[in-house]
């Protein structure tokens, strides 16, 4: 007997129809009908995760997630699902957490029914093919090794390792080759049999939640759901729960010292607490995190900054918990000075907690939080379909159907009793203290099993215990002031334009300012997006000026923190960054108070009220960020160095580190006056803002700066054009000597991005090749977990690229990419007309995909403004050209531009090689030798000389005379 619920509280802007019902097999389903959607989606969440892994096989739930998609009885071809998605502008993914495994996809809305049939079969009759088992073990192992040098992963697993061994939180959730193969084999276990038993035990319809979003009616979606998902077996199992807490008395009042990979000084306090998700009407822990994590005057962070002890603070529910337990986590990024005052910092944290505990839950603070959450929900816009369905599928386990949308947002009646009871979690003898510091000497420390993390466990110390038990009130701490940034005016001009205007207009064009404006005609929300690019060649004239500009923007953000945090709490966001062209200021939020925020930022930019102690703290933090760049993943370094090879001007972190120490506060104060003395500005104002309001805002900014226009137009960054026949390999060692992964970005330059043929032909090749690249290089050859192929867009240049991160030698990876390109050419030659047209249509659909919210449209508009081509209709142009590309012409384009045998191909690759050598077979050595002989190898010495021989691209120019956009 199916049960049904239909009344769901929605945001004002939500025009979709929702329907919740339960199938006879007890699978609860949320259907969403949106007649305007151009991309459909579905997600299924199983209420089981790695906390249910058997003790002998760590990572089994994660392994199950990987192997589930490798074919079904009805659709036995292992990559049939991914091929179908790729052919119809679709994608899929999945993740495993402590008590959830979540599977989701999106696709062109015309193809929801056939993909639902394929998706459902994974939960009805998966094959778990023996031929795929070993491959997917290696995929899990590669995923784990990708994270081994990540401090966040290392810290998370150490928290688990040091929790009570009697609680399932203690488990290693990701798994690796040792836990999935070696250990089971040593115990005589058949891993596939164990996996089938796990699936048979836990994959039951009654602990699953399904969400489907489509353009069809609720009746049609419901019919498909009944037809396709009713066959999932209901085993009537109990939802797994995890009584007790991972922290017993033994784990409390401990200090865990950790040697991190990156240079960092983080102090974290973990407080064991219950799972309060069912208290969503009150959000008691959100109320406490709002106060503890505040950054305004009187806050913990404000005081720590004043003392020079900390740079940042975060507080709230950790997200590490599961059904029955959670952690409240407070993390403080300490300064070098602050490291010597850790106990004092902990005392200040508890002084603040004692203060708000003694006050009890404060009605006006709660009501302020409630008001902000209500505004956020009221004007909540649509988001990407797959992220939406994935989130809702998980939330169906938490909230009743009527609150499935509003539950995470809306707060009910003020209930001080529920909030005050949560203060009991913050007793001075009920926490664990964790210190990540690169300054410690780990001699004699232990090494964690799965990540090799060096750590030591000790008591927090009698002195700190004594101080915490005799706390005095701190007069420098106070609760926040009332938030004046909470919007009050929500008037919107409710006039839609059909079809919506595609391009913004230039409403002011002078030597000092080019102002673009577009009144929102689609989403009709009281929000706006503004972007101001202050262009000055001084900002990137040399490495010294580059670092001085960065110091200036970092100091400004720190100076603005107490003020801007109120805006952030009220739903606003802003960004202030330096670039090769100058300084970029963006802001987004309700238009009612957005202009106030922008004006305040600009005022601080001009007055720059920075103290010496603030300068030292921020400079130290920036220097640490520069150093930590060298510990990032190898594939991110490969991507960076391709930009270094091909971009006209790009200063390295090493160059910046060589000059940063010499700068004083006086240097920055002197420099910023010159920086802002002359510039030109390009701006975009988009949303619920009139032309008059946009002009008023920019006039206020110009008046504040009192600047002069540049005497000449600044030159845009250009790209080096590789000559025909180029075959360059730039080799570098991976900076982190302990990282087992190597990486490559293989990049083939095609030509000007303004050229329609270059764009459309290459994008179509990328569309056709994306799934085969993943299937061949990752799934079948198991080169690495991180495999990507697609288009690289740079100023005035479009290229094709393949990125792989792997334990294999990067020269071998290069040989496999070349082999794949040969395979891709064969695929293009043999592809059927029907399949070819399907890929064309998929790409057209992707290009014409509607924006889901105001921010997405704003981002598109600004990308075209920033490109200097002002090609706002580029997607429409390309969509009209894609169907005209014949298969034969595409093959000739491929042969000329991408085939290794082409004498005109222009290829450069960056190979980041791990310092941990991996053995290669004779066949691998032979194949890499051929690749190496055909290429020119560059090192750091050769690179600059090589770049001097290259021609630079032209500067981007508007596709029409600028007058075309002046209104």
């Amino acid at each position: 007997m199916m049960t049904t619920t239909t009344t769901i509280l929605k945001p004002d802007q939500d025009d979709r129809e929702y329907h919740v019902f339960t199938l006879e097999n007890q699978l609860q389903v949320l259907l969403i009908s949106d007649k305007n959607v151009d991309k459909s989606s579905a997600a299924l969440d199983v209420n089981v995760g790695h906390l249910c892994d058997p003790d002998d096989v760590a990572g089994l739930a994660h392994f199950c997630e990987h192997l589930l998609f490798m074919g079904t009885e009805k659709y036995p071809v292992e990559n049939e699902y991914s091929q179908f998605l790729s052919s119809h502008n679709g994608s899929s993914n999945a993740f495993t957490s402590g008590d959830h495994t979540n599977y989701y996809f999106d696709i062109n809305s015309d193809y929801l029914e056939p993909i639902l049939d394929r998706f459902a079969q994974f939960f009805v009759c998966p094959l778990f093919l023996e031929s795929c088992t070993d491959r997917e073990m290696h995929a899990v192992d590669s995923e784990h090794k990708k994270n081994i040098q990540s401090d966040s992963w290392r810290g998370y697993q150490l928290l688990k390792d040091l929790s009570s061994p009697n609680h399932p939180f203690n488990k290693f959730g990701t798994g690796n080759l040792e836990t999935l193969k070696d250990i089971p084999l040593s115990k005589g276990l058949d891993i596939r049999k164990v996996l089938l038993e796990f699936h048979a035990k836990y994959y039951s319809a009654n602990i699953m939640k399904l969400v489907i979003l489509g353009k069809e009616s609720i009746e049609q979606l419901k019919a498909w759901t009944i037809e396709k998902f009713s066959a999932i077996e209901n085993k009537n199992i109990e939802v797994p729960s995890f009584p007790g807490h991972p922290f017993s008395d033994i784990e409390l009042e401990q200090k865990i010292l950790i040697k991190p990979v990156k240079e960092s000084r983080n102090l974290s306090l973990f407080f064991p607490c219950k799972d309060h998700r069912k208290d969503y009407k009150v959000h008691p822990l959100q109320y406490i995190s709002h106060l503890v994590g505040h950054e305004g005057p009187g806050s913990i962070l404000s005081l720590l900054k004043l003392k020079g002890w900390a740079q940042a603070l975060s507080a709230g529910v950790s997200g590490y918990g599961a059904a029955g337990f959670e952690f409240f986590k407070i993390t403080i990024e300490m300064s070098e000075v602050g490291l010597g005052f850790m106990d004092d910092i902990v005392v200040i944290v508890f002084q603040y907690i004692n203060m708000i505990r003694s006050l009890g839950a404060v009605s006006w603070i709660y009501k302020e939080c409630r008001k902000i959450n209500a505004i956020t929900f009221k004007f909540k816009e649509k988001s990407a379909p797959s992220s939406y369905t994935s989130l809702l599928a998980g939330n169906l386990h938490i909230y009743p159907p009527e609150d499935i949308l509003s539950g995470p947002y809306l707060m009910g009646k003020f209930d001080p009793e529920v909030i005050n009871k949560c203060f009991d979690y913050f007793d001075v003898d009920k926490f664990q203290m964790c210190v990540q510091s690169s300054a410690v000497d780990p001699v004699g420390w232990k090494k964690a099993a799965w990540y090799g993390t060096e750590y030591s466990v000790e008591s927090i110390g009698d002195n700190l215990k004594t101080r915490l038990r005799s706390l005095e009130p701190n007069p420098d701490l106070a609760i926040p002031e009332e938030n004046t940034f909470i919007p009050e005016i929500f008037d919107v001009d409710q006039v839609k334009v059909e079809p919506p205007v595609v391009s913004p207009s230039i409403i002011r064009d002078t030597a000092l300012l080019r102002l673009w404006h577009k009144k929102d005609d689609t989403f009709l929300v009281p929000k706006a997006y503004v972007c101001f690019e202050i262009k000055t060649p001084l900002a990137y004239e040399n490495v010294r000026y580059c670092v001085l500009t960065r110091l200036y923007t970092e100091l400004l953000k720190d100076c603005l923190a107490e003020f801007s945090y109120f805006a952030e709490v009220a739903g606003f966001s802003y960004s202030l960054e330096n670039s090769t062209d100058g300084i970029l200021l963006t802001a987004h939020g309700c238009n009612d108070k957005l202009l106030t925020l922008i004006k305040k930022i600009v005022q601080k930019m001009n007055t720059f009220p920075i103290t010496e102690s603030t300068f030292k703290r921020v400079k130290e933090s920036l220097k640490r960020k520069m150093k930590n760049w060298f510990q990032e993943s190898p594939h991110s370094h490969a991507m960076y160095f391709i930009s270094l090879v091909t971009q006209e001007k790009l200063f390295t972190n090493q160059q910046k580190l060589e000059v940063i120490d010499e700068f004083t506060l006086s240097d920055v104060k002197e420099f910023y006056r010159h920086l802002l003395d002359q510039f030109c500005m390009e701006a975009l104002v988009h949303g619920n803002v009139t032309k008059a309001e946009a002009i008023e805002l920019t006039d206020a900014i110009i008046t504040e700066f009192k600047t002069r226009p540049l005497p000449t137009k600044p030159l845009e960054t250009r790209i080096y054009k590789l000559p025909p026949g180029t075959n360059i390999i730039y080799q570098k060692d991976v900076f982190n000597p302990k990282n087992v992964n190597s990486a490559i970005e293989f990049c083939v330059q095609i030509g000007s991005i303004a050229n329609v043929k270059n764009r459309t032909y290459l994008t179509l090749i990328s569309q056709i090749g994306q799934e085969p690249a993943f299937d061949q290089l990752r799934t079948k050859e198991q080169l690495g977990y991180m495999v990507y192929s697609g288009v690289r867009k740079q100023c005035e240049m479009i290229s094709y690229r393949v990125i792989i991160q792997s334990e294999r030698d990067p020269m071998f990876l290069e040989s496999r990419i070349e082999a794949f390109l040969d395979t891709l050419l064969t695929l293009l030659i043999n592809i059927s007309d029907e399949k070819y047209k399907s890929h064309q249509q998929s790409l057209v659909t992707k290009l014409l995909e509607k924006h889901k919210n105001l921010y997405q449209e704003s981002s598109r508009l600004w990308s075209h403004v920033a490109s200097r081509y002002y090609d706002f209709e580029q997607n429409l142009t390309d969509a009209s050209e894609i169907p005209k590309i014949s298969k034969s012409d595409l093959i000739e384009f491929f042969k000329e531009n991408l085939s290794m045998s082409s004498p005109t191909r222009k290829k450069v690759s960056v190979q980041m090689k791990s310092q941990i050598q991996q053995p290669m077979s004779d066949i691998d050595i032979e194949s890499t030798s051929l690749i190496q002989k055909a290429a020119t190898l560059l090192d750091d010495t050769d690179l600059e000389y090589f770049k001097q021989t290259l021609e630079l691209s032209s500067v981007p120019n508007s596709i029409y005379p600028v007058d075309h956009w002046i209104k």
Side-chain angles (χ1 to χ4, degrees):
M1 189 75 177
M2 290 187 297
T3 57
T4 300
T5 305
T6 55
T7 305
I8 294 175
L9 186 60
K10 301 190 300 182
D12 284 8
Q13 307 299 313
D14 195 339
D15 58 358
R16 294 169 289 204
E17 186 180 353
Y18 294 84
H19 179 72
V20 177
F21 73 104
T22 303
L23 291 170
E24 291 183 0
N25 61 2
Q26 297 305 300
L27 172 63
Q28 190 179 43
V29 185
L30 169 63
L31 302 177
I32 309 171
S33 174
D34 184 347
K35 63 183 180 182
N36 297 313
V37 76
D38 52 10
K39 207 163 194 182
S40 296
S41 176
L44 190 146
D45 190 286
V46 190
N47 206 164
V48 64
H50 71 251
L51 296 186
C52 291
D53 286 346
D55 293 337
D56 291 330
V57 191
L60 188 66
H62 183 209
F63 182 49
C64 181
E65 171 222 307
H66 272 249
L67 207 55
L68 189 77
F69 283 162
M70 297 290 115
T72 63
E73 289 180 13
K74 187 173 182 179
Y75 301 99
V77 178
E78 67 178 60
N79 67 328
E80 202 277 343
Y81 173 66
S82 58
Q83 278 187 337
F84 191 90
L85 286 168
S86 177
S87 298
H88 302 293
N89 188 29
S91 64
S92 70
N93 213 333
F95 65 84
T96 304
S97 66
D99 58 348
H100 290 271
T101 308
N102 190 289
Y103 304 87
Y104 55 93
F105 70 82
D106 60 23
I107 196 166
N108 179 334
S109 59
D110 291 334
Y111 296 91
L112 177 60
E113 190 273 335
I115 197 63
L116 276 178
D117 196 54
R118 289 158 173 80
F119 185 67
Q121 291 302 306
F122 291 128
F123 308 97
V124 175
C125 53
L127 290 177
F128 293 119
L129 291 169
E130 196 157 0
S131 60
C132 301
T133 302
D134 195 64
R135 282 209 319 257
E136 287 309 306
M137 283 183 194
H138 282 85
V140 170
D141 189 66
S142 179
E143 183 177 354
H144 167 61
K145 286 175 177 171
K146 171 181 69 72
N147 300 326
I148 282 179
Q149 294 298 304
S150 164
D151 282 324
S152 59
W153 278 97
R154 291 161 75 93
Y156 169 55
Q157 186 58 46
L158 188 63
L159 182 76
K160 290 162 69 66
D161 292 342
L162 298 179
S163 66
S164 171
N166 300 318
H167 195 282
F169 183 74
N170 185 259
K171 295 177 179 180
F172 170 42
T174 306
N176 62 10
L177 210 54
E178 181 182 354
T179 67
L180 294 172
K181 186 174 185 179
D182 298 343
I183 292 175
L185 279 175
S186 71
K187 296 185 176 183
L189 298 174
D190 180 338
I191 185 63
R192 184 169 180 272
K193 182 182 177 183
V194 175
L195 174 63
L196 291 171
E197 290 171 350
F198 177 88
H199 182 268
K201 180 178 180 180
Y202 289 114
Y203 272 59
S204 174
N206 73 301
I207 67 164
M208 296 177 178
K209 305 292 183 182
L210 174 66
V211 178
I212 300 175
L213 165 64
K215 65 181 180 181
E216 294 78 9
S217 67
I218 290 293
E219 290 73 21
Q220 180 63 76
L221 293 174
K222 191 170 186 177
W224 287 345
T225 305
I226 295 169
E227 173 194 346
K228 301 176 190 306
F229 291 90
S230 292
I232 300 175
E233 186 179 355
N234 176 21
K235 297 154 190 173
N236 283 310
I237 66 171
E238 293 288 328
V239 174
S241 60
F242 313 98
H245 198 279
F247 279 4
S248 65
D249 291 343
I250 296 171
E251 287 77 40
L252 299 175
E253 293 190 292
Q254 286 183 339
K255 180 195 287 186
I256 315 298
L257 301 175
I258 301 174
K259 179 77 172 179
V261 173
K262 292 184 176 181
E263 184 175 322
S264 61
R265 289 177 283 273
N266 290 329
L267 168 63
S268 295
L269 305 178
F270 290 93
F271 298 87
C273 58
K274 294 178 181 178
D275 174 13
H276 278 275
R277 287 176 294 183
K278 295 300 182 183
D279 290 325
Y280 67 91
K281 293 284 189 181
V282 183
H283 291 287
L285 292 179
Q286 181 186 331
Y287 172 90
I288 294 173
S289 65
H290 168 70
L291 295 175
V292 176
H294 212 281
E295 298 181 15
S299 66
I300 297 171
L301 182 59
S302 178
L303 179 55
L304 295 180
K305 281 185 172 183
L306 189 65
K307 291 177 176 293
W309 293 350
Q311 182 67 17
L313 181 148
S314 62
V317 173
S318 69
Y320 301 157
F325 71 93
E326 245 303 349
F327 303 87
F328 192 96
K329 180 183 179 184
I330 302 172
T331 297
I332 297 153
E333 181 189 326
M334 297 180 291
S335 66
E336 191 171 352
V337 174
L339 190 62
F341 293 90
M342 275 192 295
D343 284 3
D344 300 83
I345 292 172
V346 175
V347 167
I348 288 173
V349 170
F350 274 98
Q351 284 175 325
Y352 192 91
I353 291 171
N354 273 7
M355 178 190 71
I356 59 175
R357 190 202 322 253
S358 65
L359 289 172
V362 179
S363 177
W364 74 261
I365 295 176
Y366 182 86
K367 290 176 180 177
E368 189 175 87
C369 292
R370 184 172 62 191
K371 184 176 181 180
I372 291 169
N373 283 16
I375 292 169
T376 301
F377 181 71
K378 182 181 177 69
F379 299 108
K380 187 176 183 295
E381 298 175 80
K382 294 179 181 178
S383 57
S386 61
S387 62
Y388 191 55
T389 57
S390 173
L391 177 68
L392 290 177
N395 284 349
L396 270 173
H397 293 287
I398 303 169
Y399 306 103
E402 61 271 18
D403 295 333
I404 184 63
L405 305 182
S406 62
Y409 298 94
L410 297 186
M411 300 168 73
K413 184 180 178 182
F414 178 52
D415 190 339
E417 184 178 346
V418 174
I419 297 171
N420 290 335
K421 190 170 179 58
C422 287
F423 283 119
D424 293 343
Y425 297 133
F426 300 92
D427 285 354
V428 295
D429 56 356
K430 291 183 180 178
F431 74 99
Q432 186 184 91
M433 181 174 170
C434 180
V435 181
Q436 282 187 329
S437 172
S438 48
V440 297
D441 183 358
V443 173
W445 286 14
K446 297 177 181 179
K447 273 196 174 183
W450 305 118
Y451 289 81
T453 310
E454 296 175 288
Y455 72 96
S456 175
V457 181
E458 58 188 52
S459 167
I460 64 170
D462 291 338
N463 182 53
L464 179 57
K465 289 180 184 179
T466 301
R467 293 179 66 185
L468 292 178
R469 290 188 176 100
S470 55
L471 289 172
E472 296 289 336
N474 191 323
D476 296 321
L477 297 173
I479 59 172
E481 301 168 355
E482 290 189 26
N483 193 339
T484 58
F485 266 104
I486 299 175
E488 297 169 353
I489 301 172
F490 306 102
D491 297 337
V492 178
D493 182 11
Q494 296 282 341
V495 179
K496 278 198 173 187
V497 176
E498 291 294 347
V501 176
V502 175
S503 308
S505 302
I506 296 175
I507 58 174
R508 176 162 290 181
D509 197 31
T510 67
L512 188 59
L513 169 70
R514 177 170 291 166
L515 174 58
W516 296 84
H517 171 263
K518 182 176 184 289
K519 178 75 170 66
D520 172 36
D521 55 7
T522 304
F523 304 103
L524 307 182
V525 288
K527 299 178 183 179
Y529 173 93
V530 296
C531 193
F532 300 92
E533 185 174 28
I534 299 171
K535 295 193 278 189
T536 166
L538 204 62
Y540 215 77
E541 186 172 293
N542 54 52
V543 69
R544 295 184 78 257
Y545 288 178
C546 168
V547 175
L548 281 167
T549 305
R550 178 73 184 276
L551 278 167
Y552 171 63
T553 56
E554 292 294 317
L555 287 162
L556 271 172
K557 286 185 285 187
D558 189 85
C559 169
L560 286 161
E562 288 191 356
F563 166 83
S564 64
Y565 189 77
F566 283 99
E568 183 183 327
V569 168
F572 297 87
S573 63
Y574 91 96
S575 172
L576 186 66
E577 306 294 340
N578 64 311
S579 68
T580 55
D581 296 320
I583 296 174
L584 186 63
L585 169 63
T586 63
H588 175 251
C590 283
N591 55 280
D592 177 31
K593 303 290 178 74
L594 187 64
L595 305 189
T596 303
L597 174 62
I598 292 289
K599 290 175 182 178
K600 184 70 173 182
I601 292 169
V602 172
Q603 181 187 1
K604 292 287 186 183
M605 288 178 72
N606 203 29
T607 55
F608 198 60
I610 306 297
T611 64
E612 186 65 39
S613 62
T614 298
F615 173 77
K616 289 179 180 178
R617 174 172 50 78
V618 172
K619 178 182 168 182
E620 176 204 318
S621 175
L622 176 57
K623 184 178 178 181
R624 189 162 64 248
K625 289 176 186 175
M626 290 177 177
K627 287 182 178 180
N628 285 336
W629 178 87
F630 294 96
Q631 304 302 324
E632 297 293 343
S633 60
H635 84 272
S636 66
H637 287 151
M639 294 162 64
Y640 170 82
F641 282 111
I642 283 287
S643 297
L644 182 71
V645 170
T646 57
Q647 193 167 306
E648 179 183 14
K649 187 181 285 189
L650 189 65
F651 299 119
T652 66
N653 274 280
Q654 186 58 48
Q655 289 173 307
K656 296 170 187 176
L657 281 167
E658 288 169 2
V659 301
I660 190 171
D661 282 335
E662 69 184 71
F663 296 125
T664 65
L665 178 56
S666 297
D667 293 328
V668 182
K669 286 185 173 181
E670 177 66 24
F671 174 74
Y672 97 86
R673 294 188 182 97
H674 295 294
L675 184 71
L676 301 178
D677 182 50
Q678 282 186 301
F679 62 74
C680 62
M681 187 163 65
E682 191 144 19
L684 168 70
V685 179
H686 175 224
N688 191 39
V689 180
T690 65
K691 289 182 181 180
E693 289 169 332
I695 290 171
E696 178 190 351
L697 172 61
T698 50
D699 282 349
I701 292 173
I702 291 169
T703 301
E704 181 67 42
F705 279 130
K706 301 180 178 65
T707 191
R708 296 173 295 153
L710 291 166
T712 58
K713 183 181 178 182
L715 191 64
E716 308 290 345
T717 300
R718 295 175 292 178
I719 299 299
Y720 286 109
K721 297 163 64 176
L722 301 176
T726 297
N727 186 3
I728 293 294
I729 297 174
Y730 179 46
Q731 295 179 316
K732 291 187 75 68
D733 284 341
V734 170
F735 295 109
N736 182 347
K738 295 181 180 180
N739 199 319
V740 299
N741 290 301
S742 296
I744 182 172
E745 175 165 348
F746 180 102
C747 181
V748 182
Q749 281 192 354
I750 303 300
S752 171
I753 197 170
N755 183 288
V756 177
K757 180 179 179 180
N758 288 342
R759 268 199 328 266
T760 53
Y761 277 57
L762 186 62
T763 308
L764 182 55
I765 288 171
S766 173
Q767 157 68 29
I768 295 171
Q770 193 168 33
E771 193 281 330
F774 188 87
D775 182 58
Q776 183 63 39
L777 300 175
R778 184 185 184 273
T779 305
K780 290 188 170 66
E781 297 190 25
Q782 287 293 308
L783 296 182
Y785 179 77
M786 213 261 113
V787 173
Y788 170 82
S789 67
V791 174
R792 170 184 263 267
K793 294 180 180 180
Q794 293 172 278
C795 173
E796 183 53 24
M797 182 61 64
I798 190 168
S799 308
Y800 179 77
R801 65 178 177 178
V802 180
I803 301 166
I804 304 175
Q805 183 168 288
S806 169
E807 291 181 74
R808 307 295 292 273
D809 187 276
M811 196 66 77
F812 177 71
L813 300 179
E814 178 125 359
S815 72
R816 300 316 304 152
I817 293 170
E818 292 285 16
F820 165 71
L821 289 177
D822 286 343
T823 302
L824 182 55
L825 176 58
T826 303
L827 186 153
L828 286 173
I829 292 170
N830 295 325
I831 193 171
S832 67
D833 290 344
E834 180 185 2
K835 193 76 170 175
Y836 181 72
K837 289 177 182 177
S838 175
H839 277 293
Q840 286 178 305
Q841 185 56 48
S842 177
L843 184 53
V844 168
T845 303
K846 184 176 182 178
L847 288 167
L848 298 180
E849 193 174 320
K850 298 173 185 175
H851 299 299
K852 305 301 182 289
N853 50 60
L854 180 74
Y855 182 78
Q856 282 187 4
E857 184 183 4
S858 299
S859 298
R860 179 188 70 83
L861 296 177
W862 179 251
S863 70
H864 289 303
V865 171
S867 76
R868 312 299 177 234
Y869 290 116
Y870 309 137
D871 191 1
F872 301 103
E873 298 183 6
Q874 186 181 103
N875 64 318
L876 303 177
T877 302
D878 292 359
S880 67
E881 292 298 317
I882 294 290
K884 302 175 185 176
I885 302 173
S886 70
K887 190 171 77 167
S888 59
D889 286 347
L890 192 69
I891 291 169
E892 288 307 308
F893 182 89
F894 187 102
K895 288 179 178 179
E896 179 183 348
N897 290 283
L898 292 172
S899 290
M900 187 178 182
S901 58
S902 170
T904 58
R905 188 176 78 162
K906 299 161 285 188
K907 186 233 96 186
V908 58
S909 64
V910 169
Q911 297 182 359
M912 303 298 301
K913 186 170 184 177
S914 172
Q915 297 182 47
I916 301 173
Q917 297 297 319
Q918 300 291 338
M920 283 201 296
S921 67
D922 291 341
I923 296 175
D924 290 355
I925 292 171
E926 182 179 351
S927 63
T928 58
S929 176
L930 294 172
I931 293 294
Q932 191 165 332
K933 287 177 181 177
T936 301
L937 305 183
L938 296 181
D939 57 22
D940 290 339
T941 307
D942 305 321
L943 180 60
E944 285 308 312
Y945 174 77
F946 170 71
K947 289 171 73 172
Q948 289 171 16
T949 67
L950 300 178
E951 178 187 352
L952 281 164
S953 67
S954 58
V955 175
N957 284 310
S958 172
I959 61 167
Y960 299 118
V962 172
D963 290 352
H964 176 83
W965 287 282
I966 295 177
K967 300 289 174 66

